[in-house]
Amino acid sequence: YMGEQRIHLRGAHHMIEYNPFHRTWLTLQQSRGRVFRGGMWQLVHLDDIWEFDMTGTPVWKWFARAHLPAFTALERNRNNVNPNKDFVHANTLHYDVAEGIIYYNSRHMDTFWKIDKASGQILWGAGRYGNLSLFNTRGRYVNQIFSHSHGLTRVGPDTFVTFDNDAVMGQQFISHCTASRVLEMQYDAVREEMRETWAWRAPRSLCRGVQGGVVRLPNGNTLGAFAGGWEVEVIPNGTIVWSLQVVGNLTRLPFLPPPHDFNIGARFLYRPRLVAAAPPPACPTPRLA
């Protein structure tokens, strides 16, 4: 044990990624942009990327308003713009330090982008506002393959997993979902396509309108965090091999009404550091009722 060092990462939210080679921290930072609505310019919230050194000093910045394509087009789909004009709502950074690549996921634009960190330029985007063609597991061309997703992670060469909430944002911060799932996608650089390669959809009772997460485990199984505090592990054929319901309130703040008084199960780590890959000696039969 070498002691601890506390670093103040001013304004960081949702995600922090550490670069062990340069000893810097990549974070999401809220900023402002403008859209023209009702004959006037109005301020909206965006999410930038800042990098801090070990003293908490910003050393690099990426501004969403300079790079995200046509974010003002969200005005045409008001169900995906919540009442505080949170147009982008970035919730995940995945930093591939070796390749100098950042993957940036936007919940409200239903899109994630591959960003070259050295130049700051977007190389491609997958989703509703991306430039890649999208195909579902049946090989059919679609306009969208995930909605209001969380926990984007690169798990192999051009392979990604995400928690697809299958949700849309209504008024008063209420999200409506149909059937959340954990999803695997494969990028094809030659065809400029993103294809669904695997998915597991939870029962409707476990649909999560907000938050959620997914982890691809070392044994190849997939762990997802669904509604009701349920953490569910499935094998590639979709069979549930382990589940856990975490009950109890992590926080209940009077100024954040439901659904923001999340239970503990909602606070799911995107990529926890696993201490054991082997399953427990005895695994009870999962019950998701």
Side-chain angles (χ1 to χ4, degrees):
Y1 178 69
M2 302 297 293
E4 68 176 35
Q5 178 179 354
R6 297 190 179 187
I7 305 166
H8 179 56
L9 305 179
R10 184 178 69 252
H13 69 85
H14 272 88
M15 197 76 189
I16 298 173
E17 287 275 67
Y18 179 60
N19 179 346
F21 301 102
H22 298 151
R23 301 188 72 215
T24 58
W25 305 84
L26 214 62
T27 72
L28 289 166
Q29 299 277 330
Q30 195 169 84
S31 65
R32 298 288 183 92
R34 297 194 305 167
V35 296
F36 195 74
R37 173 185 288 175
M40 63 171 49
W41 287 100
Q42 297 187 24
L43 287 175
V44 296
H45 294 300
L46 305 174
D47 295 288
D48 301 333
I49 307 172
W50 287 23
E51 185 176 22
F52 293 86
D53 64 16
M54 295 297 288
T55 69
T57 302
V59 295
W60 181 84
K61 298 179 181 180
W62 182 89
F63 297 101
R65 63 181 177 272
H67 296 283
L68 291 188
F71 68 86
T72 56
L74 279 174
E75 188 168 332
R76 295 198 299 268
N77 191 343
R78 292 171 183 265
N79 283 336
N80 282 324
V81 180
N82 71 36
N84 72 343
K85 302 176 183 176
D86 187 3
F87 270 34
V88 178
H89 195 99
N91 59 21
T92 313
L93 292 174
H94 181 86
Y95 187 14
D96 188 324
V97 178
E99 295 187 5
I101 295 296
I102 301 169
Y103 297 96
Y104 171 99
N105 185 71
S106 165
R107 179 180 190 257
H108 292 170
M109 295 182 77
D110 300 320
T111 306
F112 75 91
W113 288 274
K114 180 179 182 179
I115 302 169
D116 176 66
K117 185 176 183 294
S119 66
Q121 296 302 306
I122 290 176
L123 303 180
W124 51 255
R128 191 155 54 91
Y129 287 87
N131 63 307
L132 301 182
S133 299
L134 308 175
F135 294 87
N136 62 20
T137 50
R138 298 179 180 179
R140 295 177 180 175
Y141 173 81
V142 292
N143 293 322
Q144 190 173 336
I145 57 177
F146 52 83
S147 179
H148 280 36
S149 64
H150 290 77
L152 175 77
T153 307
R154 181 175 178 264
V155 295
D158 294 326
T159 304
F160 305 86
V161 294
T162 194
F163 184 87
D164 177 14
N165 293 73
D166 190 27
V168 294
M169 177 67 74
Q171 295 298 313
Q172 298 179 342
F173 290 98
I174 302 300
S175 291
H176 305 278
C177 66
T178 304
S180 300
R181 61 181 183 158
V182 285
L183 169 67
E184 180 187 274
M185 302 167 285
Q186 182 82 35
Y187 167 62
D188 188 324
V190 176
R191 293 187 173 93
E192 295 188 329
E193 298 172 351
M194 186 68 72
R195 289 181 175 266
E196 294 184 9
T197 50
W198 178 86
W200 183 81
R201 192 177 294 275
R204 186 181 179 91
S205 61
L206 299 188
C207 191
R208 180 183 286 285
V210 294
Q211 293 200 333
V214 60
V215 172
R216 176 60 51 82
L217 299 173
N219 61 7
N221 295 350
T222 304
L223 183 66
F226 295 89
W230 280 105
E231 323 294 344
V232 181
E233 180 183 351
V234 296
I235 61 179
N237 70 6
T239 300
I240 298 173
V241 295
W242 180 87
S243 64
L244 170 71
Q245 186 179 28
V246 183
V247 180
N249 289 319
L250 178 65
T251 177
R252 186 178 292 275
L253 304 177
F255 54 86
L256 288 179
H260 292 279
D261 55 341
F262 303 114
N263 64 19
I264 296 174
R267 302 296 185 180
F268 185 81
L269 296 177
Y270 292 111
R271 291 189 298 280
R273 181 168 298 174
L274 301 172
V275 296
C283 183
T285 302
R287 297 183 60 187
L288 300 181

